[in-house]
């Protein structure tokens, strides 16, 4: 068997065997297969796809490429949650504490921001003292006492995904169903949870902009999980406009704290999606008889302040100071703020999530190169939502920035993200579909 034979076989549209997939993943992780051959195979997979058997074999081979987390010594059913990545998507920081305050047990390893989509770890690090590098034993101890903790992936969790992801990022092979499904599910299988709720984002600010492709991706991930003995539900949620009103790191922690303080409306996009995700975690981990009951429990936990307590405790276990949490406003202060005003009267018919995400990245909230430092304070605060009526001169958004270098680019991106028209456009669904619910 040679990697060249495998590339040619996939290039010509044939199905790879389990042995061939294992050979590829082993050679990748050992460093025996050079990047150019890995890239060629990724492109062949991108164009020719994979059968369900190939995707399952690839996922298992990737999951087995490094250390796996064994959570079996924590009593009860353990749950995990994953988002395929979005803009202003603070769902994890809201849904995980809500579910934990209703009895679910959540031990989650999160990722960093990727391109224009934010990452939970970068958000958590907005607070001084927070360290997301915890050993598996430390993670388990926090989960035993607090019911929930989110940390960084251990170094050796699915090394195959780290290698593949960095090549996909630079070879135009990110948005492929077999490659996304195996990337997400290998990490979930290696992380040891029994219940997995996946938030598949759909829209211009997501890797999948088309509902039917996103549904295929969701079905693929649900069946991989189930074939491996996990309880899995995928929620297809909208990412045409940002989920929350705050986009940026400390800004999103602030929004999570605000939501968990109960100063919110259940119909708000971010709140509603978070409650649905929390509801499925609660239900699948056996803490409610049905989803509707779980959803009500989630709502009560949000308004009772119990979920806020879980979140604050988690931040403190990670190293944050209570007085900094109470003064989160200190960490969103920037030298400058630019207001974006409506140039005409009408209805806000779109706020393109991707533009807002790129604008936030340009301000320094994300990384353009792998080793860039991020500015946790900067970002964008939306002052309107899709469907709102605005008058000429109303403030649509605030851009909070420190570095002047890219401010004109960010301003243009935010301005062109906001579409104001005379007639109100039809509403876009917030949740398109639940797969496996
Ligand atoms: N998130 C992942 O973890 N992997 C992908 O391929 C895409 C989104
Ligand atoms: Ca995310």
């Amino acid at each position: 068997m040679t990697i060249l034979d495998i590339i040619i076989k996939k290039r010509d549209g044939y199905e790879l065997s389990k042995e061939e997939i294992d050979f590829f993943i082993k050679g990748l992780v050992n460093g025996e297969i050079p990047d150019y051959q890995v890239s060629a195979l990724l492109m062949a997979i991108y164009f020719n796809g994979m059968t369900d058997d190939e995707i399952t074999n690839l996922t298992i081979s990737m999951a087995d490429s490094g250390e796996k987390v064994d959570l079996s010594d924590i009593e009860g059913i353990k749950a995990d949650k994953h988002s395929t990545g979005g803009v202003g998507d603070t769902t994890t920081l809201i849904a995980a504490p809500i579910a934990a305050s209703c009895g679910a047990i959540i031990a989650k390893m999160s990722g960093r921001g990727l391109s224009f989509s934010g990452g939970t770890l970068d958000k958590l690090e907005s607070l001084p003292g927070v360290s997301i590098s915890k050993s598996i034993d430390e993670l388990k101890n926090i989960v035993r006492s607090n019911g929930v903790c989110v940390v960084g992936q251990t170094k050796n969790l699915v090394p195959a995904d780290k290698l593949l992801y960095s090549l996909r990022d630079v070879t135009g092979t990110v948005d492929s169903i077999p490659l996304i499904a195996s990337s997400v599910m290998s990490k979930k299988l290696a992380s040891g949870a029994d219940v997995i709720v996946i938030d598949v984002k759909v829209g211009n600010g997501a890797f999948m902009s088309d509902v039917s492709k996103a549904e295929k991706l969701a079905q693929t991930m649900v069946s991989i999980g189930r074939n491996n003995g996990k309880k899995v539900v995928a929620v297809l949620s909208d990412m045409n406009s940002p989920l929350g009103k705050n986009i940026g790191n400390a800004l999103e922690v602030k929004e999570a704290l605000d939501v968990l303080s109960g100063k919110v409306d259940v119909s708000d996009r971010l709140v509603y999606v978070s409650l649905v995700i929390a509801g499925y975690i609660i239900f699948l981990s056996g803490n409610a008889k049905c989803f509707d009951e779980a959803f009500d429990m989630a709502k009560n936990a949000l308004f009772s302040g119990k979920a806020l307590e879980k979140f604050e405790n988690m931040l403190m276990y990670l190293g944050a100071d209570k007085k900094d949490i109470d003064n989160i406003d200190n960490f969103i202060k920037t030298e400058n703020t630019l207001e974006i005003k409506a140039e005409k009267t009408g209805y806000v018919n779109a706020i393109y999530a991707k533009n807002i995400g790129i604008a936030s990245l340009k301000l320094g909230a994300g990384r353009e190169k792998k080793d860039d430092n991020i500015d946790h304070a900067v970002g964008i605060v939306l002052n309107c939502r899709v469907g709102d009526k605005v008058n000429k001169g109303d403030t649509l958004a605030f851009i909070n920035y420190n570095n002047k270098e890219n401010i004109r680019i960010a301003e243009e991106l935010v301005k062109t993200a906001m579409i104001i028209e005379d007639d109100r456009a039809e509403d876009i669904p917030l949740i398109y579909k639940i797969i496996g619910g």
Side-chain angles (χ1 to χ4, degrees):
M1 202 184 296
T2 71
I3 186 66
L4 177 60
D5 296 333
I6 296 173
I7 294 169
I8 291 171
K9 190 171 174 186
K10 190 76 248 176
R11 181 201 69 188
D12 292 344
Y14 295 102
E15 183 178 48
L16 300 179
S17 67
K18 177 165 171 43
E19 290 67 35
E20 286 163 334
I21 289 171
D22 288 345
F23 177 89
F24 163 57
I25 293 299
K26 204 168 249 157
L28 166 77
V29 175
N30 289 344
E32 281 162 12
I33 303 176
D35 285 357
Y36 51 84
Q37 286 185 310
V38 177
S39 304
L41 183 56
L42 289 171
M43 193 57 86
I45 294 171
Y46 183 91
F47 280 116
N48 288 326
M50 281 185 138
T51 63
D52 289 348
D53 283 346
E54 283 179 301
I55 301 175
T56 297
N57 289 331
L58 176 61
T59 306
I60 293 172
S61 195
M62 287 171 71
D64 289 342
S65 68
E67 167 188 46
K68 287 164 100 172
V69 181
D70 180 1
L71 296 174
S72 61
D73 54 353
I74 300 178
E75 227 178 288
I77 297 170
K78 276 73 65 179
D80 194 354
K81 174 261 165 197
H82 188 87
S83 159
T84 56
V87 177
D89 173 15
T90 319
T91 313
T92 293
L93 299 184
I94 300 169
I98 291 178
S101 66
C102 297
I105 302 166
I106 301 158
K108 174 167 167 52
M109 293 194 214
S110 269
R112 296 203 175 272
L114 191 69
S115 169
F116 60 83
S117 75
T120 300
L121 300 182
D122 296 328
K123 296 172 200 178
L124 290 170
E125 285 176 345
S126 310
L127 282 164
V130 164
S131 161
I132 50 78
S133 318
K134 298 280 180 252
S135 70
I136 292 170
D137 283 336
E138 286 171 310
L139 167 66
K140 287 188 197 176
N141 283 334
I142 301 174
V143 170
R144 279 193 194 94
S145 32
N146 192 45
V148 56
C149 194
V150 178
V151 298
Q153 280 166 26
T154 48
K155 250 215 191 78
N156 199 26
L157 190 92
V158 197
D161 181 60
K162 294 192 176 83
L163 296 166
L164 289 179
Y165 209 105
S166 57
L167 285 175
R168 286 169 59 206
D169 211 15
V170 293
T171 56
T173 53
V174 171
D175 52 342
S176 144
I177 289 175
L179 297 178
I180 297 176
S182 56
S183 164
V184 170
M185 292 310 290
S186 60
K187 286 175 285 192
K188 298 296 106 178
L189 296 183
S191 306
D194 313 295
V195 162
I196 302 160
V197 178
I198 308 166
D199 187 4
V200 179
K201 301 292 186 188
V202 188
N204 68 69
F207 293 118
M208 296 274 149
S209 51
D210 161 311
V211 180
S212 63
K213 262 181 108 176
E215 187 175 345
K216 175 83 180 69
L217 171 66
Q219 264 155 355
T220 305
M221 293 192 287
V222 169
S223 55
I224 295 171
R226 290 189 176 168
N227 291 341
N228 283 280
K230 310 291 183 187
K231 287 189 176 170
V232 195
V233 161
V235 175
L236 264 60
S237 69
D238 183 64
M239 192 39 75
N240 281 299
S241 65
L243 194 60
K245 288 183 184 134
N246 289 4
I247 298 93
N249 294 291
L251 279 167
E252 292 187 42
V253 175
K254 177 180 162 55
E255 190 163 19
L257 286 164
D258 285 347
V259 169
L260 292 169
S261 305
K263 291 180 275 190
V264 286
D265 194 327
V266 171
S267 66
D268 173 83
R269 289 167 68 76
L270 172 62
V271 178
Y272 191 78
V273 171
S274 301
L275 290 171
V276 169
I277 301 278
Y280 278 106
I281 297 174
I282 295 164
F283 169 51
L284 294 180
S285 51
N287 291 285
K289 286 191 293 295
C290 60
F291 172 75
D292 291 343
E293 183 187 337
F295 187 86
D296 282 340
M297 287 166 71
K299 245 186 339 196
N300 291 338
L302 174 62
F303 291 110
S304 70
K306 277 197 222 152
L308 177 64
E309 199 180 309
K310 286 279 178 207
F311 183 46
E312 291 187 339
N313 282 341
M314 178 182 107
L315 292 172
M316 288 187 278
Y317 276 114
L318 293 175
D321 216 313
K322 178 75 167 86
K323 108 179 160 301
D324 288 332
I325 300 172
D326 292 341
N327 292 291
I328 184 76
D329 285 345
N330 290 340
F331 303 98
I332 59 167
K333 282 193 188 132
T334 52
E335 283 164 34
N336 311 289
T337 296
L338 179 73
E339 285 185 45
I340 303 296
K341 297 198 185 276
E343 284 165 7
K344 61 181 275 190
T345 294
Y347 291 93
V348 180
N349 279 344
I351 305 176
Y352 291 123
K354 186 169 182 174
N355 276 38
I356 303 289
I358 297 174
S360 168
L361 173 68
K362 292 283 175 194
L363 298 174
R367 298 174 190 80
E368 291 196 83
K369 293 191 298 305
K370 215 170 72 194
D371 300 321
D372 283 352
N373 283 324
I374 67 175
D375 184 339
H376 290 94
V378 298
I380 294 152
V381 178
L382 300 176
N383 198 40
C384 63
R385 288 300 228 178
V386 172
D388 286 357
K389 171 108 203 274
V390 294
N391 293 311
K392 186 176 176 188
D394 283 356
T395 300
L396 302 176
F398 300 91
I399 302 181
N400 297 348
Y401 66 104
N402 287 317
N403 190 336
K404 292 191 174 68
E405 199 183 335
N406 286 330
I407 184 59
R408 293 283 85 89
I409 299 172
E411 178 183 14
E412 195 53 31
L413 282 162
V414 176
K415 273 189 179 161
T416 51
M418 308 269 190
I419 306 299
I420 299 174
E421 290 168 330
D422 296 339
D423 298 315
R424 192 177 187 283
E426 235 179 85
D427 286 337
I428 295 178
L430 176 56
I431 298 207
Y432 295 94
K433 236 173 190 155
I434 309 284
I435 308 292

